[in-house]
């Protein structure tokens, strides 16, 4: 590509071709036409995390788990995440956000970090001196790390990721609760007590329900908004990447709205031009 088609090197292209067999039985690909592809989802062309990225995210995940001070919650997190085979291979979704190998790991860690930093900011800068109350950071981090753990029951690992048939009757919320409950049963006496589990399930439930389940904890409100913000930003990034050849204000018919494409987002470049 670099030698014959420099203008298309590093780009997503559409290829019209055929496969031919010569008299010796060898096959060859004959390219009839090749052009730049403008309508695509970049995630479809991401094989997954590189080895160094995978190792780094796993390290960060376990460092976050080790930071939890509550002994029962830390034991629950370790029990769950240490028993997920191919944890680093699961996508977060099949065709939504983070649908690439390792997407679930990236999504889980990202939402947990967002939740933690939101609570940290609120605790430091948004308080009344007479009503200052500490946030339960252990409970928040545990809920953030576990709020979508049912993904490993819903999907199969990449590269052949697909929906498990046995999971179809259940929602992600229901699969998540079931996964946590089974882990608690395996733990026995070292598991969180009923009161702590009730709070944990409430926070997780608030991510999936709106009017029917009102947050009764600040931590539940934080996680609900962190997960929602993360999904909305990921969706917006999808449309920014899709329209990256149209800098400025443009209308996207699929989004049904106008969107601003910064010049530095063209051709996959960041602000520093890399």
């Amino acid at each position: 590509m670099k030698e014959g088609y420099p203008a298309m090197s590093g780009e997503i292209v559409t290829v019209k071709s055929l496969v031919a067999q010569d008299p010796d039985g060898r096959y060859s690909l004959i390219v009839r036409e090749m052009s730049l592809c403008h309508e695509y989802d970049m995630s479809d062309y991401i094989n997954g995390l590189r080895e160094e990225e995978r190792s780094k995210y796993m390290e960060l995940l376990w460092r976050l788990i080790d930071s939890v001070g509550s002994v029962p919650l830390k034991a629950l997190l370790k029990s769950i995440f240490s028993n997920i085979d191919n944890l680093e291979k699961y996508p977060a979704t099949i065709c939504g956000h983070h649908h690439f190998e390792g997407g679930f790991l990236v999504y889980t860690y990202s939402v947990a970090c967002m939740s933690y930093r939101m609570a940290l900011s609120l605790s430091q800068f948004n308080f009344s001196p007479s009503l200052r109350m500490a946030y339960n950071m252990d409970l928040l981090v545990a809920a953030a790390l576990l709020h979508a753990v049912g993904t490993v029951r819903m999907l199969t690992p990449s590269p052949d990721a697909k929906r498990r048939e046995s999971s179809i009757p259940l929602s992600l919320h229901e699969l998540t609760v079931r996964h946590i409950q089974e882990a608690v049963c395996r733990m026995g006496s070292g598991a969180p007590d009923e009161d702590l589990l009730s709070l944990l399930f409430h926070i997780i439930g608030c991510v999936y329900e709106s009017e029917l389940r009102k947050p009764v904890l600040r931590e539940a409100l934080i996680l609900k908004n962190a997960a929602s913000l993360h999904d909305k930003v990921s969706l917006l990034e999808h449309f920014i990447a899709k329209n990256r050849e149209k800098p400025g204000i443009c209308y996207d018919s699929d989004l049904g709205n106008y969107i601003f494409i910064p010049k530095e987002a063209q051709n996959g470049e960041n602000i520093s031009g890399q």
Side-chain angles (χ1 to χ4, degrees), residues 218-248:
R218 296 169 299 168
E219 292 81 4
L221 191 60
I222 289 172
L223 177 56
K224 176 181 175 64
N225 282 277
S228 175
L229 176 61
H230 191 281
D231 290 347
K232 290 177 180 178
V233 168
S234 297
L235 179 65
L236 192 58
E237 286 176 342
H238 162 78
F239 288 103
I240 290 176
K242 174 185 173 184
N243 295 283
R244 68 195 186 289
E245 301 296 338
K246 309 170 187 177

Side-chain angles (χ1 to χ4, degrees), residues 48-60 88 105-106:
L49 300 177
R50 297 191 299 271
E51 182 57 38
E52 60 270 24
E53 293 173 329
R54 184 182 298 111
S55 298
K56 187 62 177 179
Y57 269 103
M58 289 294 287
E59 176 188 346
L60 291 171
E88 72 282 1
L105 180 61
V106 175

Side-chain angles (χ1 to χ4, degrees), residues 56-72:
K56 187 62 177 179
Y57 269 103
M58 289 294 287
E59 176 188 346
L60 291 171
L61 174 70
W62 283 103
R63 187 185 302 174
L64 189 58
I65 292 174
D66 287 333
S67 72
V68 175
S70 169
V71 175

Side-chain angles (χ1 to χ4, degrees), residues 4-16:
Y5 306 90
M8 298 183 184
S9 180
E11 301 292 335
I12 304 298
V13 298
T14 298
V15 177
K16 294 182 179 180

Side-chain angles (χ1 to χ4, degrees), residues 87-258:
L87 171 61
E88 72 282 1
K89 293 184 178 295
Y90 283 93
T93 61
I94 290 294
C95 57
H97 64 87
H98 294 80
H99 60 284
F100 56 87
E101 185 175 308
F104 171 68
L105 180 61
V106 175
Y107 169 79
T108 297
Y109 180 75
S110 180
V111 171
C113 283
M114 285 179 62
S115 302
Y116 181 87
R117 293 184 180 276
M118 287 171 67
L120 188 63
S121 177
L122 288 168
S123 66
Q124 291 180 341
F125 304 111
N126 184 35
F127 66 92
S128 170
S130 60
L131 298 173
R132 187 169 188 177
M133 296 175 287
Y135 284 84
N136 191 331
M137 304 298 273
D138 289 344
L139 186 59
L140 176 61
V141 169
L145 289 174
L146 295 175
H147 83 279
V149 74
T151 299
V152 302
R153 287 174 172 256
M154 176 179 285
L155 309 178
T156 59
S158 294
D160 301 318
K162 62 181 179 180
R163 179 79 185 250
R164 299 180 192 268
E165 290 186 5
S166 60
S167 75
I168 292 176
L170 302 175
S171 68
L172 179 57
H173 181 204
E174 292 166 328
L175 291 167
T176 293
V177 171
R178 173 180 289 186
H179 197 84
I180 296 173
Q181 286 177 326
E182 290 184 3
V184 169
C185 291
R186 290 196 306 268
M187 292 177 64
S189 60
D193 59 30
E194 186 175 347
D195 290 340
L196 187 55
L197 277 176
S198 296
L199 294 177
L200 180 67
F201 285 137
H202 170 75
I203 296 176
I204 292 173
C206 287
V207 174
Y208 297 96
E209 300 180 27
S210 54
E211 297 302 321
L212 296 178
R213 185 188 296 268
K214 298 288 188 180
V216 300
L217 295 170
R218 296 169 299 168
E219 292 81 4
L221 191 60
I222 289 172
L223 177 56
K224 176 181 175 64
N225 282 277
S228 175
L229 176 61
H230 191 281
D231 290 347
K232 290 177 180 178
V233 168
S234 297
L235 179 65
L236 192 58
E237 286 176 342
H238 162 78
F239 288 103
I240 290 176
K242 174 185 173 184
N243 295 283
R244 68 195 186 289
E245 301 296 338
K246 309 170 187 177
I249 298 291
C250 69
Y251 183 83
D252 186 280
S253 57
D254 292 334
L255 180 63
N257 202 355
Y258 289 92

Side-chain angles (χ1 to χ4, degrees), residues 74-94:
K74 180 187 290 187
L76 177 62
L77 291 170
K78 287 186 174 181
S79 175
I80 289 177
F81 283 100
S82 63
N83 283 286
I84 300 177
D85 294 331
N86 299 312
L87 171 61
E88 72 282 1
K89 293 184 178 295
Y90 283 93
T93 61
I94 290 294

